[in-house]
Amino acid sequence: SICSGSSYSLPNGTLVSQEGDYLDTIHSIIGCDSIIINTHLTVNEEEETDILADTSFCFGSELVLSIDPSYTFVLWSNGDTSNITTITIENQFWVLLVDSNGCNIIDTFQVYTNPLPIIEFSPEFPKICRGDTILISATSNITPSQMDWNNGEQSSAIQVSPYMNTVYSVICSTEYCIDSSSILVEVYDVPIVNLGFNDYICNNERVILDASYSNSTYLWSNNSTSSTLEVYEPGIYWVEVQNGICSSNDTIEFKPCSTIWVPNVFTPNNDGINDTFYPIITEIEDIQIYIYNRWGNKIFHSADFTTGWDGKYCGIELPGGNYYWLIIYTEHSSLNRKIERQIHGTVTLLR
């Protein structure tokens, strides 16, 4: 038998390539005897040479090809001699095979590479303050593509609010290739700043406000950049604390401590000047004012410091002279203390 496309030499030297029976007479040297030889020639038809079709694989990966292990000999164009070969580049390849009949088969095929999707994140380096939310988007250089995130979402962008540093990964699938990438969302502490409750500050007092927080910078309402601020007088004070990523602020108000001043004379003559007797106060509450005559009789009472005594009793003008007053009130002091006070004295009524 011969392979298709080959020829066979009969005993008489004739080359034949067609399948069939061939009779051949061979004479002896002296020419009197002869031998008749019947040769049955079988032609083995060529197998299908398109064994491996053109194919492709993703760039950066590898392609494993295999053929039927029944071939008695295998030689790939990359030098491999087994029925399995690994391809890592785009090129044209061939494979030489020898079948069980000893016939050679050569197949040529093309291998292409498909580009991998390149994933880009936005923002590129996400940083958030604890408790905040951020939108992370992933795009590919190849469209269409599908994004599958490790939190179960299937979209080009996800909104996340991690409590601590968290890695989010995504698998990008295109028509031919799949690739994955991941991104770290860094979470930063929000500075804790507490200047305390609003308070009162008295004359000659000093209060130190402390906004200290590790690895932070400070800006106070008076443009100071220290971690502390000394306060000597009433006012509204604020501070902003920033640690590079996150910031927080707080405000505190200091009111003046309570003060009271009681005049010692008044002239109720309806000239619009000093016609009533009343104390001058700041930051005082629950005030009670009592006026008594020289015999200890109560002639006036008010719980409103703006309602002064006009020098009358039951609508009748009282004579000039000295009158005794008693004032009971609650004052505000530093550390938000409330102190009940009682003071007394005399006032002269002039007519």
Side-chain angles (χ1 to χ4, degrees):
S1 63
I2 62 174
C3 298
S4 177
S6 301
S7 59
Y8 179 76
S9 177
L10 296 175
N12 64 2
T14 303
L15 295 176
V16 295
S17 60
Q18 299 293 323
E19 184 176 291
D21 293 315
Y22 295 92
L23 294 177
D24 192 10
T25 301
I26 300 177
H27 298 279
S28 65
I29 296 176
I30 59 176
C32 57
D33 296 321
S34 63
I35 300 174
I36 298 174
I37 299 175
N38 182 14
T39 301
H40 177 73
L41 182 64
T42 301
V43 178
N44 297 312
E45 295 297 329
E46 288 185 357
E47 295 187 18
E48 177 63 46
T49 57
D50 191 13
I51 297 173
L52 295 172
D54 292 348
T55 186
S56 64
F57 68 103
C58 295
F59 180 81
S61 60
E62 58 185 29
L63 176 67
V64 177
L65 298 177
S66 63
I67 57 173
D68 190 337
S70 63
Y71 292 102
T72 59
F73 178 80
V74 178
L75 176 62
W76 301 86
S77 55
N78 61 5
D80 287 345
T81 56
S82 70
N83 68 310
I84 298 175
T85 190
T86 300
I87 294 174
T88 59
I89 62 172
E90 178 179 283
N91 207 343
Q92 187 179 65
F93 296 88
W94 55 259
V95 60
L96 171 63
L97 307 172
V98 177
D99 63 15
S100 58
N101 295 314
C103 298
N104 294 338
I105 303 170
I106 295 180
D107 184 23
T108 301
F109 56 94
Q110 182 71 41
V111 174
Y112 304 93
T113 56
N114 297 311
L116 283 175
I118 299 175
I119 302 173
E120 293 185 350
F121 292 103
S122 178
E124 188 176 2
F125 303 103
K127 298 177 175 64
I128 65 169
C129 300
R130 183 168 287 111
D132 288 350
T133 299
I134 189 171
L135 184 70
I136 303 174
S137 62
T139 56
S140 169
N141 61 323
I142 301 175
T143 57
S145 60
Q146 176 177 312
M147 300 292 182
D148 294 283
W149 297 84
N150 62 338
N151 65 351
E153 294 192 41
Q154 293 181 325
S155 62
S156 60
I158 58 173
Q159 190 166 277
V160 296
S161 181
Y163 182 78
M164 61 184 65
N165 291 352
T166 303
V167 175
Y168 293 91
S169 59
V170 63
I171 298 175
C172 178
S173 304
T174 62
E175 183 178 4
Y176 299 105
C177 298
I178 295 177
D179 199 12
S180 63
S181 187
S182 59
I183 188 169
L184 171 65
V185 177
E186 295 184 68
V187 181
Y188 290 81
D189 290 327
V190 177
I192 299 174
V193 53
N194 182 9
L195 299 181
F197 296 104
N198 294 340
D199 202 352
Y200 294 84
I201 188 168
C202 303
N203 291 334
N204 301 318
E205 281 191 334
R206 182 187 71 163
V207 177
I208 297 179
L209 300 178
D210 191 350
S212 299
Y213 194 83
S214 60
N215 301 318
S216 297
T217 59
Y218 311 89
L219 178 63
W220 292 87
S221 49
N222 65 348
N223 292 324
S224 171
T225 56
S226 174
S227 61
T228 61
L229 181 70
E230 292 189 7
V231 175
Y232 299 94
E233 58 186 20
I236 297 175
Y237 301 87
W238 56 260
V239 64
E240 181 179 27
V241 182
Q242 188 171 36
N243 63 4
I245 300 296
C246 307
S247 65
S248 59
N249 57 74
D250 196 19
T251 300
I252 188 172
E253 179 180 6
F254 287 97
K255 294 181 179 180
C257 291
S258 300
T259 61
I260 183 169
W261 176 80
V262 183
N264 58 7
V265 65
F266 75 113
T267 58
N269 55 10
N270 296 320
D271 64 354
I273 300 174
N274 201 23
D275 285 332
T276 56
F277 168 77
Y278 59 87
I280 306 301
I281 66 173
T282 58
E283 301 298 333
I284 282 180
E285 61 183 56
D286 299 331
I287 190 168
Q288 302 287 331
I289 304 173
Y290 301 88
I291 306 294
Y292 300 89
N293 62 18
R294 68 180 66 183
W295 296 283
N297 298 320
K298 183 173 69 174
I299 57 176
F300 176 80
H301 169 256
S302 176
D304 182 2
F305 78 95
T306 62
T307 303
W309 179 44
D310 59 3
K312 297 178 181 179
Y313 177 68
C314 295
I316 300 174
E317 291 183 351
L318 296 178
N322 292 330
Y323 292 85
Y324 178 80
W325 56 262
L326 172 66
I327 299 177
I328 302 172
Y329 63 93
T330 301
E331 74 171 13
H332 294 280
S333 186
S334 56
L335 302 180
N336 279 312
R337 292 173 297 174
K338 289 185 177 183
I339 304 172
E340 186 175 286
R341 300 288 189 185
Q342 179 175 308
I343 59 177
H344 56 85
T346 61
V347 61
T348 300
L349 187 157
L350 296 178
R351 291 195 183 275

